[in-house]
Amino acid sequence: MGERLDHLRRQVCTGLAFAALFGGGAVLALTVFPLVSLLTPAGPTRWARNQRLVHWLFRGYVWSLRRLGVIEVTVDGADRLRAATGVMIVANHPTLLDVVLLMGLVPRSQCIVKGALWDSPYLGRLVRGTGYIRNDLEPEALLGACRDSMARGESLIIFPEGTRTTPGEPPRFRRGFANIATMLEADIQLVTIICRPLTLVKGEPWWMVPSRRPRFHVQVGERLDASQWMGYKYRSLAARKLVRQLEEYYMECLADG
Amino acid sequence: MLTRDQVYEKLKGYLEEMFEVPSGTVTPESRLFEDLDLDSIDAVDLVVKLQALTGRKFKPEEFKTVRTVGDVLDRVQALLAA
């Protein structure tokens, strides 16, 4: 009985949490973001302020989820992640909450977002206000935007899988992140996200909360130096090797995690 | 001037050397992105390589519509004949 009650309670809290995320997001989009826009000229300064705003919001959001007992979160190496400015942060992508967790840990984060969101009524304001990078830019423009962003000291968060992991399958990485790293000679900070029992996976409705409270474990891993992918005869070979190397790395991390 | 066959052989060499495509699997019908697993950044690298081979400059828009290995050969031939 106690277990069932706990399950129901977490189901209700998860629903509330989603309502808070979307409702709260909408309210903020209509109040705080326009206020920042009013007080800050367009461009990098405004983006930086909005990025910090998103950081504190997500941080508060994760804190509330923990307080409500919906999830548990342990982070190994949070300081190193916070210190990883101006680099690419690469992570696996098991759940819907990953980006919220990471942005709550990194004060100024940048990401590459579906171009269609620019026309969305409330997320559009968010992605424009934070200066996030559209994924439908021409390759040169996309690389340029990533270069500028990291040069400003933002952490560029990338999930190389492109979408959430299919449960039970090893992560399959696309090559885009490796192209950016090899073209821009950027360092990579690796992060592994483990969620047990799994929740909020691809294709599962939010109210399917697992029988036990999900535990998120964020492990800040190695920092890879860009020199590893420099000095190849062809950049394309370095990018391919990096993809294979990280697929193997995550297979190992997820196997013993 | 390079013949189409010579360019084809060179191109197969590049695909193997730069993009890990075994040359035995390449035909003129092979699609660069779907079959040979190239991406848009690879395509830029390949254009640079072909420019070095031919000593001519490609206009980016000339390569926009390229889909297959045969398309690449057509573009290179057109450029060499120009």
Side-chain angles (χ1 to χ4, degrees), chain A residues 21-57:
Chain A
L21 186 65
F22 286 99
V27 169
L28 280 159
L30 296 173
T31 56
V32 184
F33 276 97
L35 197 67
V36 172
S37 301
L38 204 65
L39 299 174
T40 327
T45 319
R46 187 189 291 177
W47 299 338
R49 285 192 179 170
N50 284 329
Q51 285 163 7
R52 286 212 172 81
L53 191 66
V54 168
H55 164 67
W56 283 106
L57 272 174

PDB file of all heavy atoms in Angstrom, chain A residues 21-57:
ATOM      1  N   LEU A  21       6.961  23.423 -15.433  1.00  0.00           N
ATOM      2  CA  LEU A  21       7.989  23.704 -16.437  1.00  0.00           C
ATOM      3  C   LEU A  21       7.389  24.480 -17.608  1.00  0.00           C
ATOM      4  O   LEU A  21       7.936  25.481 -18.050  1.00  0.00           O
ATOM      5  CB  LEU A  21       8.627  22.411 -16.930  1.00  0.00           C
ATOM      6  CG  LEU A  21       9.819  22.577 -17.879  1.00  0.00           C
ATOM      7  CD1 LEU A  21      10.979  23.241 -17.160  1.00  0.00           C
ATOM      8  CD2 LEU A  21      10.285  21.227 -18.416  1.00  0.00           C
ATOM      9  N   PHE A  22       6.230  24.005 -18.098  1.00  0.00           N
ATOM     10  CA  PHE A  22       5.659  24.647 -19.278  1.00  0.00           C
ATOM     11  C   PHE A  22       4.920  25.926 -18.907  1.00  0.00           C
ATOM     12  O   PHE A  22       5.098  26.965 -19.529  1.00  0.00           O
ATOM     13  CB  PHE A  22       4.763  23.667 -20.038  1.00  0.00           C
ATOM     14  CG  PHE A  22       5.566  22.651 -20.776  1.00  0.00           C
ATOM     15  CD1 PHE A  22       5.774  21.383 -20.247  1.00  0.00           C
ATOM     16  CD2 PHE A  22       6.179  22.977 -21.971  1.00  0.00           C
ATOM     17  CE1 PHE A  22       6.552  20.448 -20.919  1.00  0.00           C
ATOM     18  CE2 PHE A  22       6.968  22.057 -22.654  1.00  0.00           C
ATOM     19  CZ  PHE A  22       7.145  20.779 -22.123  1.00  0.00           C
ATOM     20  N   GLY A  23       4.125  25.845 -17.840  1.00  0.00           N
ATOM     21  CA  GLY A  23       3.392  27.028 -17.394  1.00  0.00           C
ATOM     22  C   GLY A  23       4.344  28.112 -16.935  1.00  0.00           C
ATOM     23  O   GLY A  23       4.252  29.272 -17.352  1.00  0.00           O
ATOM     24  N   GLY A  24       5.303  27.702 -16.077  1.00  0.00           N
ATOM     25  CA  GLY A  24       6.285  28.652 -15.559  1.00  0.00           C
ATOM     26  C   GLY A  24       7.105  29.238 -16.692  1.00  0.00           C
ATOM     27  O   GLY A  24       7.398  30.433 -16.709  1.00  0.00           O
ATOM     28  N   GLY A  25       7.448  28.379 -17.645  1.00  0.00           N
ATOM     29  CA  GLY A  25       8.211  28.840 -18.805  1.00  0.00           C
ATOM     30  C   GLY A  25       7.441  29.906 -19.566  1.00  0.00           C
ATOM     31  O   GLY A  25       8.001  30.931 -19.954  1.00  0.00           O
ATOM     32  N   ALA A  26       6.147  29.663 -19.736  1.00  0.00           N
ATOM     33  CA  ALA A  26       5.320  30.613 -20.489  1.00  0.00           C
ATOM     34  C   ALA A  26       5.235  31.945 -19.752  1.00  0.00           C
ATOM     35  O   ALA A  26       5.366  33.015 -20.355  1.00  0.00           O
ATOM     36  CB  ALA A  26       3.929  30.022 -20.702  1.00  0.00           C
ATOM     37  N   VAL A  27       5.038  31.867 -18.435  1.00  0.00           N
ATOM     38  CA  VAL A  27       4.930  33.100 -17.650  1.00  0.00           C
ATOM     39  C   VAL A  27       6.227  33.902 -17.738  1.00  0.00           C
ATOM     40  O   VAL A  27       6.224  35.114 -17.984  1.00  0.00           O
ATOM     41  CB  VAL A  27       4.594  32.778 -16.163  1.00  0.00           C
ATOM     42  CG1 VAL A  27       4.745  34.020 -15.296  1.00  0.00           C
ATOM     43  CG2 VAL A  27       3.195  32.201 -16.056  1.00  0.00           C
ATOM     44  N   LEU A  28       7.353  33.182 -17.561  1.00  0.00           N
ATOM     45  CA  LEU A  28       8.654  33.862 -17.638  1.00  0.00           C
ATOM     46  C   LEU A  28       8.891  34.449 -19.016  1.00  0.00           C
ATOM     47  O   LEU A  28       9.403  35.562 -19.150  1.00  0.00           O
ATOM     48  CB  LEU A  28       9.776  32.879 -17.323  1.00  0.00           C
ATOM     49  CG  LEU A  28       9.938  32.653 -15.835  1.00  0.00           C
ATOM     50  CD1 LEU A  28      10.659  31.354 -15.574  1.00  0.00           C
ATOM     51  CD2 LEU A  28      10.706  33.819 -15.226  1.00  0.00           C
ATOM     52  N   ALA A  29       8.492  33.696 -20.026  1.00  0.00           N
ATOM     53  CA  ALA A  29       8.695  34.163 -21.393  1.00  0.00           C
ATOM     54  C   ALA A  29       7.982  35.493 -21.603  1.00  0.00           C
ATOM     55  O   ALA A  29       8.434  36.347 -22.347  1.00  0.00           O
ATOM     56  CB  ALA A  29       8.189  33.123 -22.382  1.00  0.00           C
ATOM     57  N   LEU A  30       6.855  35.634 -20.909  1.00  0.00           N
ATOM     58  CA  LEU A  30       6.051  36.847 -21.110  1.00  0.00           C
ATOM     59  C   LEU A  30       6.427  37.971 -20.150  1.00  0.00           C
ATOM     60  O   LEU A  30       5.989  39.101 -20.323  1.00  0.00           O
ATOM     61  CB  LEU A  30       4.562  36.508 -20.952  1.00  0.00           C
ATOM     62  CG  LEU A  30       4.030  35.543 -22.015  1.00  0.00           C
ATOM     63  CD1 LEU A  30       2.608  35.122 -21.701  1.00  0.00           C
ATOM     64  CD2 LEU A  30       4.124  36.160 -23.399  1.00  0.00           C
ATOM     65  N   THR A  31       7.206  37.663 -19.106  1.00  0.00           N
ATOM     66  CA  THR A  31       7.538  38.704 -18.135  1.00  0.00           C
ATOM     67  C   THR A  31       9.035  39.004 -18.098  1.00  0.00           C
ATOM     68  O   THR A  31       9.479  40.075 -18.515  1.00  0.00           O
ATOM     69  CB  THR A  31       7.054  38.295 -16.729  1.00  0.00           C
ATOM     70  OG1 THR A  31       7.630  37.028 -16.411  1.00  0.00           O
ATOM     71  CG2 THR A  31       5.563  38.218 -16.662  1.00  0.00           C
ATOM     72  N   VAL A  32       9.824  38.028 -17.625  1.00  0.00           N
ATOM     73  CA  VAL A  32      11.241  38.302 -17.372  1.00  0.00           C
ATOM     74  C   VAL A  32      12.027  38.515 -18.663  1.00  0.00           C
ATOM     75  O   VAL A  32      12.831  39.440 -18.761  1.00  0.00           O
ATOM     76  CB  VAL A  32      11.884  37.175 -16.527  1.00  0.00           C
ATOM     77  CG1 VAL A  32      13.328  37.522 -16.203  1.00  0.00           C
ATOM     78  CG2 VAL A  32      11.094  36.972 -15.248  1.00  0.00           C
ATOM     79  N   PHE A  33      11.767  37.652 -19.665  1.00  0.00           N
ATOM     80  CA  PHE A  33      12.527  37.809 -20.909  1.00  0.00           C
ATOM     81  C   PHE A  33      12.306  39.179 -21.554  1.00  0.00           C
ATOM     82  O   PHE A  33      13.284  39.847 -21.910  1.00  0.00           O
ATOM     83  CB  PHE A  33      12.213  36.673 -21.891  1.00  0.00           C
ATOM     84  CG  PHE A  33      13.024  35.435 -21.633  1.00  0.00           C
ATOM     85  CD1 PHE A  33      12.500  34.379 -20.898  1.00  0.00           C
ATOM     86  CD2 PHE A  33      14.321  35.333 -22.103  1.00  0.00           C
ATOM     87  CE1 PHE A  33      13.260  33.250 -20.645  1.00  0.00           C
ATOM     88  CE2 PHE A  33      15.091  34.201 -21.853  1.00  0.00           C
ATOM     89  CZ  PHE A  33      14.551  33.154 -21.121  1.00  0.00           C
ATOM     90  N   PRO A  34      11.066  39.623 -21.679  1.00  0.00           N
ATOM     91  CA  PRO A  34      10.882  40.974 -22.252  1.00  0.00           C
ATOM     92  C   PRO A  34      11.558  42.054 -21.396  1.00  0.00           C
ATOM     93  O   PRO A  34      12.061  43.045 -21.931  1.00  0.00           O
ATOM     94  CB  PRO A  34       9.367  41.158 -22.237  1.00  0.00           C
ATOM     95  CG  PRO A  34       8.804  39.800 -22.201  1.00  0.00           C
ATOM     96  CD  PRO A  34       9.788  38.949 -21.461  1.00  0.00           C
ATOM     97  N   LEU A  35      11.576  41.830 -20.089  1.00  0.00           N
ATOM     98  CA  LEU A  35      12.204  42.801 -19.199  1.00  0.00           C
ATOM     99  C   LEU A  35      13.708  42.886 -19.482  1.00  0.00           C
ATOM    100  O   LEU A  35      14.278  43.968 -19.607  1.00  0.00           O
ATOM    101  CB  LEU A  35      11.956  42.378 -17.748  1.00  0.00           C
ATOM    102  CG  LEU A  35      12.172  43.462 -16.689  1.00  0.00           C
ATOM    103  CD1 LEU A  35      11.130  44.563 -16.844  1.00  0.00           C
ATOM    104  CD2 LEU A  35      12.107  42.862 -15.290  1.00  0.00           C
ATOM    105  N   VAL A  36      14.324  41.704 -19.594  1.00  0.00           N
ATOM    106  CA  VAL A  36      15.761  41.668 -19.926  1.00  0.00           C
ATOM    107  C   VAL A  36      15.987  42.356 -21.274  1.00  0.00           C
ATOM    108  O   VAL A  36      16.922  43.146 -21.438  1.00  0.00           O
ATOM    109  CB  VAL A  36      16.286  40.209 -19.955  1.00  0.00           C
ATOM    110  CG1 VAL A  36      17.719  40.156 -20.488  1.00  0.00           C
ATOM    111  CG2 VAL A  36      16.228  39.591 -18.566  1.00  0.00           C
ATOM    112  N   SER A  37      15.098  42.064 -22.224  1.00  0.00           N
ATOM    113  CA  SER A  37      15.244  42.671 -23.554  1.00  0.00           C
ATOM    114  C   SER A  37      15.166  44.186 -23.486  1.00  0.00           C
ATOM    115  O   SER A  37      15.851  44.898 -24.205  1.00  0.00           O
ATOM    116  CB  SER A  37      14.150  42.155 -24.500  1.00  0.00           C
ATOM    117  OG  SER A  37      14.229  40.767 -24.596  1.00  0.00           O
ATOM    118  N   LEU A  38      14.296  44.644 -22.592  1.00  0.00           N
ATOM    119  CA  LEU A  38      14.089  46.084 -22.455  1.00  0.00           C
ATOM    120  C   LEU A  38      15.333  46.757 -21.881  1.00  0.00           C
ATOM    121  O   LEU A  38      15.688  47.870 -22.251  1.00  0.00           O
ATOM    122  CB  LEU A  38      12.899  46.294 -21.512  1.00  0.00           C
ATOM    123  CG  LEU A  38      12.139  47.604 -21.623  1.00  0.00           C
ATOM    124  CD1 LEU A  38      11.463  47.679 -22.985  1.00  0.00           C
ATOM    125  CD2 LEU A  38      11.093  47.687 -20.515  1.00  0.00           C
ATOM    126  N   LEU A  39      15.994  46.035 -20.958  1.00  0.00           N
ATOM    127  CA  LEU A  39      17.111  46.643 -20.222  1.00  0.00           C
ATOM    128  C   LEU A  39      18.482  46.338 -20.834  1.00  0.00           C
ATOM    129  O   LEU A  39      19.478  46.914 -20.415  1.00  0.00           O
ATOM    130  CB  LEU A  39      17.092  46.144 -18.768  1.00  0.00           C
ATOM    131  CG  LEU A  39      15.817  46.496 -17.983  1.00  0.00           C
ATOM    132  CD1 LEU A  39      15.840  45.838 -16.610  1.00  0.00           C
ATOM    133  CD2 LEU A  39      15.652  47.998 -17.848  1.00  0.00           C
ATOM    134  N   THR A  40      18.533  45.411 -21.778  1.00  0.00           N
ATOM    135  CA  THR A  40      19.831  45.023 -22.335  1.00  0.00           C
ATOM    136  C   THR A  40      19.777  45.144 -23.842  1.00  0.00           C
ATOM    137  O   THR A  40      18.810  44.682 -24.453  1.00  0.00           O
ATOM    138  CB  THR A  40      20.150  43.555 -21.989  1.00  0.00           C
ATOM    139  OG1 THR A  40      19.605  43.242 -20.717  1.00  0.00           O
ATOM    140  CG2 THR A  40      21.631  43.297 -21.992  1.00  0.00           C
ATOM    141  N   PRO A  41      20.796  45.729 -24.462  1.00  0.00           N
ATOM    142  CA  PRO A  41      20.797  45.790 -25.926  1.00  0.00           C
ATOM    143  C   PRO A  41      20.894  44.379 -26.518  1.00  0.00           C
ATOM    144  O   PRO A  41      21.458  43.483 -25.898  1.00  0.00           O
ATOM    145  CB  PRO A  41      22.055  46.601 -26.243  1.00  0.00           C
ATOM    146  CG  PRO A  41      22.915  46.494 -25.028  1.00  0.00           C
ATOM    147  CD  PRO A  41      21.991  46.336 -23.858  1.00  0.00           C
ATOM    148  N   ALA A  42      20.334  44.220 -27.709  1.00  0.00           N
ATOM    149  CA  ALA A  42      20.377  42.916 -28.375  1.00  0.00           C
ATOM    150  C   ALA A  42      21.818  42.495 -28.604  1.00  0.00           C
ATOM    151  O   ALA A  42      22.692  43.339 -28.741  1.00  0.00           O
ATOM    152  CB  ALA A  42      19.639  43.003 -29.710  1.00  0.00           C
ATOM    153  N   GLY A  43      22.041  41.209 -28.612  1.00  0.00           N
ATOM    154  CA  GLY A  43      23.388  40.701 -28.872  1.00  0.00           C
ATOM    155  C   GLY A  43      23.934  39.922 -27.706  1.00  0.00           C
ATOM    156  O   GLY A  43      23.186  39.555 -26.796  1.00  0.00           O
ATOM    157  N   PRO A  44      25.253  39.675 -27.700  1.00  0.00           N
ATOM    158  CA  PRO A  44      25.856  38.771 -26.721  1.00  0.00           C
ATOM    159  C   PRO A  44      25.563  39.108 -25.258  1.00  0.00           C
ATOM    160  O   PRO A  44      25.412  38.189 -24.449  1.00  0.00           O
ATOM    161  CB  PRO A  44      27.354  38.886 -27.007  1.00  0.00           C
ATOM    162  CG  PRO A  44      27.433  39.246 -28.441  1.00  0.00           C
ATOM    163  CD  PRO A  44      26.227  40.101 -28.716  1.00  0.00           C
ATOM    164  N   THR A  45      25.467  40.387 -24.895  1.00  0.00           N
ATOM    165  CA  THR A  45      25.206  40.718 -23.492  1.00  0.00           C
ATOM    166  C   THR A  45      23.815  40.221 -23.081  1.00  0.00           C
ATOM    167  O   THR A  45      23.638  39.643 -22.006  1.00  0.00           O
ATOM    168  CB  THR A  45      25.258  42.240 -23.263  1.00  0.00           C
ATOM    169  OG1 THR A  45      26.341  42.759 -24.011  1.00  0.00           O
ATOM    170  CG2 THR A  45      25.412  42.581 -21.800  1.00  0.00           C
ATOM    171  N   ARG A  46      22.844  40.452 -23.962  1.00  0.00           N
ATOM    172  CA  ARG A  46      21.494  39.991 -23.652  1.00  0.00           C
ATOM    173  C   ARG A  46      21.454  38.463 -23.593  1.00  0.00           C
ATOM    174  O   ARG A  46      20.835  37.877 -22.707  1.00  0.00           O
ATOM    175  CB  ARG A  46      20.512  40.499 -24.706  1.00  0.00           C
ATOM    176  CG  ARG A  46      19.075  40.189 -24.344  1.00  0.00           C
ATOM    177  CD  ARG A  46      18.120  40.493 -25.470  1.00  0.00           C
ATOM    178  NE  ARG A  46      17.993  41.931 -25.717  1.00  0.00           N
ATOM    179  CZ  ARG A  46      17.250  42.442 -26.705  1.00  0.00           C
ATOM    180  NH1 ARG A  46      16.591  41.639 -27.523  1.00  0.00           N
ATOM    181  NH2 ARG A  46      17.174  43.738 -26.877  1.00  0.00           N
ATOM    182  N   TRP A  47      22.147  37.829 -24.529  1.00  0.00           N
ATOM    183  CA  TRP A  47      22.173  36.354 -24.520  1.00  0.00           C
ATOM    184  C   TRP A  47      22.751  35.858 -23.200  1.00  0.00           C
ATOM    185  O   TRP A  47      22.206  34.941 -22.585  1.00  0.00           O
ATOM    186  CB  TRP A  47      23.032  35.817 -25.670  1.00  0.00           C
ATOM    187  CG  TRP A  47      22.546  36.200 -27.030  1.00  0.00           C
ATOM    188  CD1 TRP A  47      21.273  36.577 -27.362  1.00  0.00           C
ATOM    189  CD2 TRP A  47      23.309  36.274 -28.229  1.00  0.00           C
ATOM    190  NE1 TRP A  47      21.202  36.868 -28.698  1.00  0.00           N
ATOM    191  CE2 TRP A  47      22.433  36.692 -29.256  1.00  0.00           C
ATOM    192  CE3 TRP A  47      24.648  36.011 -28.539  1.00  0.00           C
ATOM    193  CZ2 TRP A  47      22.863  36.859 -30.575  1.00  0.00           C
ATOM    194  CZ3 TRP A  47      25.073  36.170 -29.860  1.00  0.00           C
ATOM    195  CH2 TRP A  47      24.192  36.594 -30.856  1.00  0.00           C
ATOM    196  N   ALA A  48      23.871  36.466 -22.784  1.00  0.00           N
ATOM    197  CA  ALA A  48      24.546  36.011 -21.562  1.00  0.00           C
ATOM    198  C   ALA A  48      23.605  36.126 -20.370  1.00  0.00           C
ATOM    199  O   ALA A  48      23.524  35.222 -19.536  1.00  0.00           O
ATOM    200  CB  ALA A  48      25.814  36.823 -21.333  1.00  0.00           C
ATOM    201  N   ARG A  49      22.876  37.235 -20.284  1.00  0.00           N
ATOM    202  CA  ARG A  49      21.940  37.402 -19.158  1.00  0.00           C
ATOM    203  C   ARG A  49      20.851  36.336 -19.198  1.00  0.00           C
ATOM    204  O   ARG A  49      20.505  35.746 -18.175  1.00  0.00           O
ATOM    205  CB  ARG A  49      21.293  38.788 -19.218  1.00  0.00           C
ATOM    206  CG  ARG A  49      22.269  39.841 -18.782  1.00  0.00           C
ATOM    207  CD  ARG A  49      21.619  41.158 -18.536  1.00  0.00           C
ATOM    208  NE  ARG A  49      22.661  42.086 -18.106  1.00  0.00           N
ATOM    209  CZ  ARG A  49      22.483  43.386 -17.992  1.00  0.00           C
ATOM    210  NH1 ARG A  49      21.313  43.929 -18.262  1.00  0.00           N
ATOM    211  NH2 ARG A  49      23.469  44.153 -17.596  1.00  0.00           N
ATOM    212  N   ASN A  50      20.311  36.118 -20.374  1.00  0.00           N
ATOM    213  CA  ASN A  50      19.248  35.122 -20.488  1.00  0.00           C
ATOM    214  C   ASN A  50      19.766  33.709 -20.241  1.00  0.00           C
ATOM    215  O   ASN A  50      19.057  32.869 -19.689  1.00  0.00           O
ATOM    216  CB  ASN A  50      18.577  35.219 -21.856  1.00  0.00           C
ATOM    217  CG  ASN A  50      17.645  36.412 -21.932  1.00  0.00           C
ATOM    218  OD1 ASN A  50      17.052  36.817 -20.931  1.00  0.00           O
ATOM    219  ND2 ASN A  50      17.528  37.001 -23.105  1.00  0.00           N
ATOM    220  N   GLN A  51      21.026  33.465 -20.643  1.00  0.00           N
ATOM    221  CA  GLN A  51      21.603  32.140 -20.375  1.00  0.00           C
ATOM    222  C   GLN A  51      21.728  31.914 -18.867  1.00  0.00           C
ATOM    223  O   GLN A  51      21.427  30.828 -18.366  1.00  0.00           O
ATOM    224  CB  GLN A  51      22.987  32.018 -21.028  1.00  0.00           C
ATOM    225  CG  GLN A  51      22.919  31.837 -22.538  1.00  0.00           C
ATOM    226  CD  GLN A  51      24.249  32.118 -23.218  1.00  0.00           C
ATOM    227  OE1 GLN A  51      25.260  32.329 -22.552  1.00  0.00           O
ATOM    228  NE2 GLN A  51      24.250  32.155 -24.531  1.00  0.00           N
ATOM    229  N   ARG A  52      22.151  32.950 -18.160  1.00  0.00           N
ATOM    230  CA  ARG A  52      22.246  32.820 -16.696  1.00  0.00           C
ATOM    231  C   ARG A  52      20.862  32.599 -16.085  1.00  0.00           C
ATOM    232  O   ARG A  52      20.707  31.839 -15.144  1.00  0.00           O
ATOM    233  CB  ARG A  52      22.876  34.078 -16.104  1.00  0.00           C
ATOM    234  CG  ARG A  52      24.346  34.151 -16.356  1.00  0.00           C
ATOM    235  CD  ARG A  52      25.086  34.857 -15.228  1.00  0.00           C
ATOM    236  NE  ARG A  52      26.527  34.725 -15.453  1.00  0.00           N
ATOM    237  CZ  ARG A  52      27.221  35.499 -16.279  1.00  0.00           C
ATOM    238  NH1 ARG A  52      26.605  36.460 -16.945  1.00  0.00           N
ATOM    239  NH2 ARG A  52      28.508  35.313 -16.441  1.00  0.00           N
ATOM    240  N   LEU A  53      19.884  33.286 -16.646  1.00  0.00           N
ATOM    241  CA  LEU A  53      18.507  33.145 -16.180  1.00  0.00           C
ATOM    242  C   LEU A  53      18.032  31.695 -16.344  1.00  0.00           C
ATOM    243  O   LEU A  53      17.486  31.090 -15.411  1.00  0.00           O
ATOM    244  CB  LEU A  53      17.630  34.088 -17.012  1.00  0.00           C
ATOM    245  CG  LEU A  53      16.212  34.321 -16.562  1.00  0.00           C
ATOM    246  CD1 LEU A  53      16.208  35.051 -15.229  1.00  0.00           C
ATOM    247  CD2 LEU A  53      15.468  35.165 -17.600  1.00  0.00           C
ATOM    248  N   VAL A  54      18.297  31.141 -17.510  1.00  0.00           N
ATOM    249  CA  VAL A  54      17.914  29.753 -17.771  1.00  0.00           C
ATOM    250  C   VAL A  54      18.637  28.824 -16.787  1.00  0.00           C
ATOM    251  O   VAL A  54      18.045  27.890 -16.239  1.00  0.00           O
ATOM    252  CB  VAL A  54      18.246  29.359 -19.236  1.00  0.00           C
ATOM    253  CG1 VAL A  54      18.125  27.853 -19.446  1.00  0.00           C
ATOM    254  CG2 VAL A  54      17.339  30.098 -20.196  1.00  0.00           C
ATOM    255  N   HIS A  55      19.915  29.120 -16.545  1.00  0.00           N
ATOM    256  CA  HIS A  55      20.688  28.310 -15.604  1.00  0.00           C
ATOM    257  C   HIS A  55      20.026  28.294 -14.232  1.00  0.00           C
ATOM    258  O   HIS A  55      19.801  27.227 -13.660  1.00  0.00           O
ATOM    259  CB  HIS A  55      22.109  28.878 -15.506  1.00  0.00           C
ATOM    260  CG  HIS A  55      22.881  28.395 -14.317  1.00  0.00           C
ATOM    261  ND1 HIS A  55      23.281  27.085 -14.180  1.00  0.00           N
ATOM    262  CD2 HIS A  55      23.327  29.043 -13.217  1.00  0.00           C
ATOM    263  CE1 HIS A  55      23.941  26.948 -13.043  1.00  0.00           C
ATOM    264  NE2 HIS A  55      23.983  28.117 -12.434  1.00  0.00           N
ATOM    265  N   TRP A  56      19.680  29.451 -13.705  1.00  0.00           N
ATOM    266  CA  TRP A  56      19.085  29.504 -12.369  1.00  0.00           C
ATOM    267  C   TRP A  56      17.701  28.874 -12.332  1.00  0.00           C
ATOM    268  O   TRP A  56      17.327  28.220 -11.361  1.00  0.00           O
ATOM    269  CB  TRP A  56      19.057  30.951 -11.859  1.00  0.00           C
ATOM    270  CG  TRP A  56      20.433  31.351 -11.412  1.00  0.00           C
ATOM    271  CD1 TRP A  56      21.293  32.178 -12.055  1.00  0.00           C
ATOM    272  CD2 TRP A  56      21.126  30.878 -10.241  1.00  0.00           C
ATOM    273  NE1 TRP A  56      22.485  32.251 -11.375  1.00  0.00           N
ATOM    274  CE2 TRP A  56      22.414  31.471 -10.265  1.00  0.00           C
ATOM    275  CE3 TRP A  56      20.794  29.994  -9.207  1.00  0.00           C
ATOM    276  CZ2 TRP A  56      23.361  31.217  -9.271  1.00  0.00           C
ATOM    277  CZ3 TRP A  56      21.738  29.752  -8.223  1.00  0.00           C
ATOM    278  CH2 TRP A  56      23.002  30.363  -8.255  1.00  0.00           C
ATOM    279  N   LEU A  57      16.956  29.072 -13.405  1.00  0.00           N
ATOM    280  CA  LEU A  57      15.634  28.454 -13.502  1.00  0.00           C
ATOM    281  C   LEU A  57      15.721  26.936 -13.437  1.00  0.00           C
ATOM    282  O   LEU A  57      15.009  26.286 -12.670  1.00  0.00           O
ATOM    283  CB  LEU A  57      15.026  28.783 -14.870  1.00  0.00           C
ATOM    284  CG  LEU A  57      14.241  30.055 -14.963  1.00  0.00           C
ATOM    285  CD1 LEU A  57      13.847  30.289 -16.419  1.00  0.00           C
ATOM    286  CD2 LEU A  57      12.995  29.886 -14.115  1.00  0.00           C
TER     287      LEU A  57
END
